[in-house]
Amino acid sequence: MRTYCSDVEERNVNKYGVNELRKMFLDFFESKGHLVMKSFSLVPHNDNSLLLINSGMAPLKPYFTGQEIPPRKRVTTCQKCIRTGDIENIGKTDRHGTFFEMLGNFSFGDYFKHEAIAWCWEFLTEVVGLEADRLYPSVYLDDDEAFDIWNKEIGIPAERIFRFGKEDNFWEHGSGPCGPCSEVYYDRGEKYGCGKPGCTVGCECDRYIEVWNNVFTQFDNDGHGNYTDLSQKNIDTGMGLERLAAVVQDVESIFDVDTIQALRNRVCELAGKTYKEKHEWDVSIRIVTDHIRSATFMISDGIMPSNEGRGYVLRRIIRRAARHGRLLGIEGDFLANLSSTVIEGSKDGYPELEEKKDFIFNVLTQEESKFNKTIDQGLNILAEMEENMEKEGRTQLSGEDAFRLYDTYGFPLDLTMEILEEKNLTIDEEGFQAAMKEQKEKARKARKVTNYMGADVTVYESIDPAITSEFVGYDKLSWESGVTAMTTEEAVVDALTDGESGTIIVAQTPFYGTMGGQCGDTGVIRCGDGEFVVQDTIHLAGGKIGHIGRMTSGMIKLGDKVELSVNPAGRADTCKNHSATHLLQKALRTVLGSHVEQAGSYVDAHRLRFDFSHFSAMTPEELAKVEQIVNDEINAHLPVRTSVMTLEDAKKTGAMALFGEKYGDSVRVVQMGDFSTELCGGTHVANTGDIAVFKILSESGVAAGVRRIEALTGPGVFAYYKELEDRLSEAAKIVKATPANLAEKLTHLMAEVKQLSSENESLKSKAARESLGNVMDQVKEIKGVKLLAAKADGADMNGLRDLGDQLKEKLGEGVVVLASEKDGKVNLVAMATDSAMAQGAHAGNLIKGIAALVGGGGGGRPNMAQAGGKNPAGIPQAIAEVEKVLEGQLK
Ligand code: ATP
Ligand code: MG
């Protein structure tokens, strides 16, 4: 146990610099068995819940939830963070930045409170040398365990440990893992205090500032406020590096620590202002200082200014910085200049800043000059709007006006808001959002042509037409080249980052772009930790080849030297299919005749399709012959040779050219032994033997005089047979047979089914007959005509008709009416013999007269009629009614 010293002494700490403190922290936790990991990108990876990384814990979430296994159970990081939620605080408090670095130590189911608290204390007091008597821990109200550790193990008197409620000291995010926190506050002395009575730890002023937060993730919240103990308890801590530096260096604010001070001084220098001369200026100086840090780091992680998401956060920050620079009297573009000071101060911890320097400056300057062009005009317009408001006695700017400033002059909403707030005016935010929505709708409707990515075709049209790409992939599957252009789905950009979809264009590529019926390659483009998965490759206007896909990690920017790798299996299978179409064409001409011309083709890694001129459906024999020829040529292992020559020379080789196709002066000729010679720009196998096997799946007509063959090669054929085999086994299993005796078994089964169903028919009519009982007893005579009206159970309409015929026969002459109930529905049949009809009986009208009673309708001829109904309960009444109706019919 350490003894607690209660005397407040003169401060006597070493003035460690920011870069030194970062290293001390990481070294300290490394000595406690932690793995030091590099800061993750500000762009969250696979996490849509967050726009930007805002804590050390955020990028480690998958390790906490157990989705991913951490490289070690103890990890320590210094993580770059952006907190846009703190933007209003910047310049006003001493302790907030939108950008800051968070030091953290993490335990994934390893150590817990005892170690976390002890190491936190050891680092602050022994490593850094802060005086114990200026430090105050806080714990969560109910967390006696943490209280006791501070009190009994560390030796802090009970009255110096603060207990706070859920709001401050319980970390929770909806349902899931959560737990109490323990924070450490540092008392910077009375001069920083608000002087209000009761100002103590927890006061919002800048005297007691929170430096470190230790989160003990120990519960699981089921979403209804029921907490159960987690089996794996975690530690997640966070300490602002700049705040630590501010207390260690004993300076007023984070803007006075060594690295940031250098930047702040640079701002003052550019503005010709002195810090601490005028409060208003100080706020602007701090805002510029903070925002340029945020912007520099965001751009280095590949975020580009835009009107949406992260890009909009960056745009707001850059434009806010630009405006406050103007308020300070800085003229012209100045952000790139300041950014170089940021990079100077932070490249120690973040070497990528130095590497991407030119890119960062470029993005900053472009965005700044774009804004500078309109800012004065915008400010004038806003001043006019304010005048109008004053005249009309309004204090709220309309949504449309705010939107006009946004749309035409590039004023982010919060910038307009901030300017108005200074004069106690507000904005109709809802109206702004509505105007924004309306404009988006309009833009969507106005959008004319879209490509399959849903983007304007004009995205590609805005690329510099001087840019072209060369295909180098006939015999190479990977290649290094420089990025010459990139786009998102909407715009030409300078970089793509994690999660973004878009198109990359390079000077030389091994990726084959969709052409001549052959599908484009897939694969991956890499640069450092940047990875772009290529889902398709296409030819763009002006000789450019576009790699379409998605960034799956990191960033790639304009000018980067990238490694392009084609998916080798996909390419190999595509080559097999393409070469097979050449063999197929020749085989078709051999079997069907020289009128066969290619009318179209499609090949990808999975299948091939070949359309050709021919005027009748192919016979099975012709198909078998064609398939055999192709397989023979595969087995002949013909070498495949390609050469580039003039069109004249090509024609001399007898090469088959596409009818109506325009060729350039030099053409590529693909020869497969002496069997096939074609003009073709596609990729092929080196030897026909590589195709392995060829199988036709179908032959069909697609247009007048045009037939289509679909076929498979190599692994596609095996997959096809495998699937057939699986289906066959499954079918055999169902009828308890083997694939070998399946046909025999099915023949037996079919015969059995036939016999059973005929047996079933006769059983059904027998059953219906029996249900009538001794039916002839029920025969009545109406005006001398015999009538049999009865209910037969369970018979369907067919059964009922059969039964009716039988009874009519038995009856000799007369009328038969039968009703049955089946599956909740009613069937009615009426029949009259010739002599009954002669006396006036009419089966059709009889049915009509009674059908309503069973909820139905129907009718028919005089001798035979039928009807259906929905109400079985009405059957007895209907049968009773027959007598009356018949009586009315008879003469
Ligand atoms: P505060 O109440 O001062 O805003 P917080 O409760 O938001 O702090 P946490 O979310 O616990 O802070 O973050 C952990 C640590 O990160 C804090 O103890 C502090 O040292 C640091 N920190 C948080 N926000 C900022 C910021 N905007 N600028 C600099 N450091 C920060
Ligand atoms: Mg906060």
Side-chain angles (χ1 to χ4, degrees):
M1 192 195 276
R2 290 180 192 90
T3 46
Y4 184 77
C5 161
S6 62
D7 298 330
V8 178
E9 290 162 16
E10 268 301 286
R11 299 211 53 187
N12 184 24
V13 281
N14 288 310
K15 304 271 170 111
Y16 298 115
V18 167
N19 289 319
E20 248 174 312
L21 286 166
R22 186 192 300 114
K23 188 165 182 321
M24 285 160 75
F25 182 90
L26 297 175
D27 287 351
F28 175 74
F29 280 99
E30 192 172 32
S31 79
K32 305 288 184 197
H34 290 63
L35 173 71
V36 181
M37 289 178 79
K38 248 183 72 181
S39 171
F40 292 79
S41 164
L42 283 167
V43 179
H45 182 66
N46 284 342
D47 181 0
N48 292 332
S49 69
L50 211 57
L51 214 48
L52 291 153
I53 293 298
N54 61 0
S55 69
M57 178 274 198
L60 303 172
K61 256 194 246 167
Y63 300 149
F64 280 107
T65 57
Q67 269 171 315
E68 276 175 41
I69 304 193
R72 200 185 289 175
K73 284 186 162 186
R74 299 179 182 189
V75 161
T76 180
T77 60
C78 176
Q79 175 64 46
K80 359 180 204 189
C81 295
I82 298 264
R83 287 201 180 174
T84 35
D86 281 336
I87 201 163
E88 301 294 329
N89 285 328
I90 314 305
K92 297 177 188 156
T93 73
D94 287 342
R95 65 184 199 277
H96 290 105
T98 53
F99 175 86
F100 65 100
E101 295 176 56
M102 196 185 284
L103 301 163
N105 53 293
F106 308 92
S107 154
F108 310 109
D110 191 49
Y111 64 84
F112 203 48
K113 289 184 196 177
H114 292 276
E115 295 85 343
I117 291 176
W119 291 337
C120 163
W121 189 253
E122 183 183 340
F123 181 76
L124 289 178
T125 57
E126 288 175 29
V127 178
V128 173
L130 292 178
E131 305 95 304
D133 52 1
R134 284 180 182 259
L135 294 170
Y136 294 84
S138 73
V139 298
Y140 175 56
L141 274 181
D142 299 341
D143 192 0
D144 293 333
E145 189 187 1
F147 186 94
D148 286 347
I149 297 172
W150 282 116
N151 183 232
K152 302 205 174 93
E153 292 177 26
I154 309 291
I156 315 264
E159 68 277 10
R160 294 180 60 99
I161 305 170
F162 288 74
R163 287 189 191 251
F164 291 133
K166 244 189 168 168
E167 212 161 279
D168 294 304
N169 276 16
F170 198 90
W171 187 87
E172 187 162 38
H173 219 84
S175 60
C178 56
C181 315
S182 176
E183 299 171 326
V184 179
Y185 288 81
Y186 183 85
D187 178 5
R188 308 200 298 156
E190 236 162 70
K191 65 177 172 179
Y192 294 110
C194 54
K196 292 181 192 143
C199 171
T200 180
V201 173
C203 180
E204 265 306 303
C205 77
D206 280 329
R207 173 171 175 180
Y208 301 93
I209 70 168
E210 175 195 325
V211 286
W212 202 338
N213 190 358
N214 291 263
V215 183
F216 312 125
T217 323
Q218 63 186 109
F219 300 120
D220 186 63
N221 180 350
D222 67 357
H224 304 287
N226 302 314
Y227 297 92
T228 45
D229 270 346
L230 278 177
S231 57
Q232 175 188 306
K233 295 189 167 78
N234 301 315
I235 290 291
D236 149 28
T237 88
M239 168 160 62
L241 174 61
E242 296 81 350
R243 285 201 196 170
L244 173 70
V247 299
V248 166
Q249 295 172 13
D250 194 17
V251 291
E252 189 183 298
S253 80
I254 60 170
F255 297 94
D256 300 289
V257 306
D258 56 334
T259 49
I260 307 183
Q261 191 183 81
L263 179 62
R264 193 201 68 201
N265 290 342
R266 190 88 193 90
V267 176
C268 293
E269 209 178 295
L270 285 178
K273 298 276 188 298
T274 319
Y275 191 56
K276 289 278 138 194
E277 203 179 311
K278 197 167 160 195
H279 176 71
E280 231 171 272
W281 292 350
D282 286 352
V283 172
S284 289
I285 290 168
R286 286 179 176 199
I287 286 175
V288 175
T289 305
D290 169 76
H291 287 14
I292 187 62
R293 280 181 11 112
S294 277
T296 301
F297 275 90
M298 285 172 84
I299 299 168
S300 81
D301 278 335
I303 300 167
M304 301 289 288
S306 79
N307 275 342
E308 233 140 28
R310 286 183 271 283
Y312 190 54
V313 172
L314 174 61
R315 172 158 285 169
R316 269 164 60 194
I317 282 178
I318 295 178
R319 295 194 169 189
R320 203 165 182 256
R323 173 174 171 259
H324 281 276
R326 294 198 145 218
L327 286 177
L328 288 170
I330 306 179
E331 276 166 23
D333 298 342
F334 65 98
L335 292 176
N337 184 334
L338 283 179
S339 179
S340 71
T341 312
V342 176
I343 295 173
E344 210 40 54
S346 298
K347 65 181 182 197
D348 248 27
Y350 306 92
E352 68 269 20
L353 291 177
E354 178 74 14
E355 284 159 29
K356 295 182 181 152
K357 200 154 114 174
D358 295 334
F359 174 71
I360 297 170
F361 297 165
N362 230 327
V363 174
L364 279 171
T365 309
Q366 270 184 29
E367 178 67 12
E368 193 180 8
S369 24
K370 220 191 264 177
F371 186 50
N372 274 344
K373 277 198 199 117
T374 55
I375 183 172
D376 290 328
Q377 268 175 296
L379 286 171
N380 286 338
I381 299 283
L382 181 56
E384 271 172 36
M385 290 173 180
E386 283 168 33
E387 256 172 51
N388 285 339
M389 285 162 68
E390 205 181 313
K391 262 191 234 148
E392 293 162 22
R394 285 184 293 128
T395 59
Q396 191 181 53
L397 184 72
S398 75
E400 292 92 75
D401 281 350
F403 183 72
R404 188 147 70 94
L405 284 168
Y406 164 86
D407 198 35
T408 318
Y409 302 101
F411 278 41
L413 182 67
D414 65 348
L415 181 62
T416 311
M417 216 183 283
E418 184 180 314
I419 297 170
L420 291 175
E421 242 168 41
E422 287 158 12
K423 295 160 194 155
N424 281 326
L425 300 172
T426 59
I427 292 183
D428 172 12
E429 280 183 64
E430 259 173 43
F432 173 84
Q433 299 300 350
M436 172 97 114
K437 206 171 145 201
E438 191 183 327
Q439 197 222 30
K440 275 194 179 158
E441 287 284 302
K442 265 194 216 151
R444 207 161 43 84
K445 283 194 191 131
R447 208 174 270 176
K448 314 158 292 276
V449 204
T450 59
N451 65 15
Y452 73 97
M453 285 172 79
D456 278 356
V457 171
T458 50
V459 173
Y460 296 131
E461 283 166 7
S462 345
I463 302 172
D464 180 354
I467 294 171
T468 56
S469 336
E470 184 192 349
F471 174 62
V472 295
Y474 282 122
D475 48 8
K476 289 177 202 79
L477 291 186
S478 55
W479 192 247
E480 203 181 81
S481 187
V483 176
T484 50
M486 7 186 30
T487 74
T488 59
E489 291 172 14
E490 274 105 31
V492 174
V493 292
D494 291 349
L496 285 170
T497 53
D498 201 349
E500 278 186 314
S501 295
T503 301
I504 293 181
I505 294 164
V506 298
Q508 292 183 317
T509 179
F511 281 74
Y512 184 85
T514 299
M515 193 171 55
Q518 180 179 334
C519 208
D521 282 326
T522 60
V524 63
I525 299 178
R526 288 196 184 85
C527 176
D529 58 1
E531 187 182 270
F532 180 83
V533 172
V534 180
Q535 290 146 350
D536 194 8
T537 308
I538 58 171
H539 282 269
L540 304 173
K544 291 179 262 291
I545 297 173
H547 306 82
I548 299 173
R550 191 169 161 269
M551 287 300 298
T552 49
S553 71
M555 74 174 284
I556 292 180
K557 57 182 176 19
L558 208 60
D560 277 349
K561 267 252 170 302
V562 293
E563 183 72 35
L564 301 114
S565 317
V566 173
N567 165 13
R571 165 68 81 81
D573 290 345
T574 306
C575 287
K576 287 174 192 154
N577 284 331
H578 198 159
S579 298
T581 58
H582 287 211
L583 297 179
L584 173 62
Q585 166 154 228
K586 184 61 190 289
L588 285 167
R589 285 171 77 95
T590 310
V591 173
L592 302 177
S594 57
H595 63 280
V596 168
E597 295 264 4
Q598 174 170 344
S601 78
Y602 174 86
V603 293
D604 63 17
H606 311 289
R607 65 208 167 100
L608 67 93
R609 197 169 71 201
F610 186 73
D611 296 347
F612 57 99
S613 48
H614 183 56
F615 299 93
S616 56
M618 285 175 73
T619 63
E621 294 73 37
E622 286 169 340
L623 281 169
K625 234 187 223 170
V626 167
E627 196 173 89
Q628 187 60 50
I629 292 176
V630 174
N631 278 310
D632 286 347
E633 297 308 324
I634 290 170
N635 280 327
H637 288 83
L638 306 175
V640 177
R641 267 168 300 142
T642 57
S643 36
V644 176
M645 55 183 82
T646 64
L647 188 56
E648 281 306 298
D649 288 345
K651 281 183 179 156
K652 280 182 211 149
T653 67
M656 276 192 270
L658 277 188
F659 188 71
E661 177 93 355
K662 277 211 181 79
Y663 291 96
D665 293 338
S666 68
V667 292
R668 190 161 173 271
V669 175
V670 178
Q671 282 176 289
M672 303 187 180
D674 292 330
F675 182 70
S676 145
T677 306
E678 281 190 47
L679 295 187
C680 177
T683 65
H684 287 276
V685 294
N687 187 293
T688 58
D690 298 342
I691 304 171
V693 59
F694 172 80
K695 162 89 189 117
I696 293 178
L697 289 185
S698 68
E699 190 269 351
S700 58
V702 281
V706 181
R707 311 293 304 172
R708 166 173 294 177
I709 282 184
E710 290 185 279
L712 302 171
T713 65
V717 176
F718 292 108
Y720 169 75
Y721 281 120
K722 173 84 178 58
E723 202 197 315
L724 267 190
E725 199 179 359
D726 288 351
R727 273 196 267 160
L728 191 65
S729 310
E730 201 186 314
K733 218 159 100 193
I734 292 171
V735 296
K736 296 202 170 53
T738 63
N741 66 10
L742 181 62
E744 197 187 331
K745 178 89 188 209
L746 285 176
T747 313
H748 279 139
L749 282 174
M750 286 315 288
E752 212 176 310
V753 166
K754 203 171 161 195
Q755 197 198 331
L756 286 175
S757 57
S758 103
E759 267 175 42
N760 190 36
E761 282 304 309
S762 56
L763 281 174
K764 269 202 296 201
S765 75
K766 194 172 162 224
R769 218 166 39 237
E770 277 169 4
S771 79
L772 285 171
N774 198 356
V775 77
M776 290 324 249
D777 292 352
Q778 299 175 37
V779 176
K780 289 181 181 163
E781 263 200 36
I782 315 285
K783 291 189 179 166
V785 172
K786 279 191 254 176
L787 166 67
L788 174 57
K791 185 174 176 225
D793 277 333
D796 57 14
M797 196 59 94
N798 284 339
L800 211 57
R801 263 199 322 260
D802 272 0
L803 195 59
D805 284 336
Q806 288 173 30
L807 292 172
K808 200 172 64 177
E809 210 146 288
K810 264 194 187 167
L811 209 56
E813 288 297 343
V815 171
V816 176
V817 177
L818 295 175
S820 74
E821 176 189 348
K822 177 129 173 84
D823 306 327
K825 294 215 174 80
V826 181
N827 299 309
L828 290 178
V829 166
M831 292 170 175
T833 61
D834 290 346
S835 83
M837 283 189 288
Q839 283 177 262
H842 190 291
N845 295 340
L846 191 49
I847 282 278
K848 238 187 237 159
I850 63 168
L853 295 168
V854 292
R861 299 187 309 270
N863 65 333
M864 150 80 194
Q866 60 190 49
K870 303 185 288 275
N871 174 27
I875 292 179
Q877 215 188 326
I879 287 174
E881 186 74 9
V882 172
E883 236 171 85
K884 261 187 250 162
V885 180
L886 182 62
E887 196 166 6
Q889 291 182 344
L890 296 176
K891 291 171 195 152

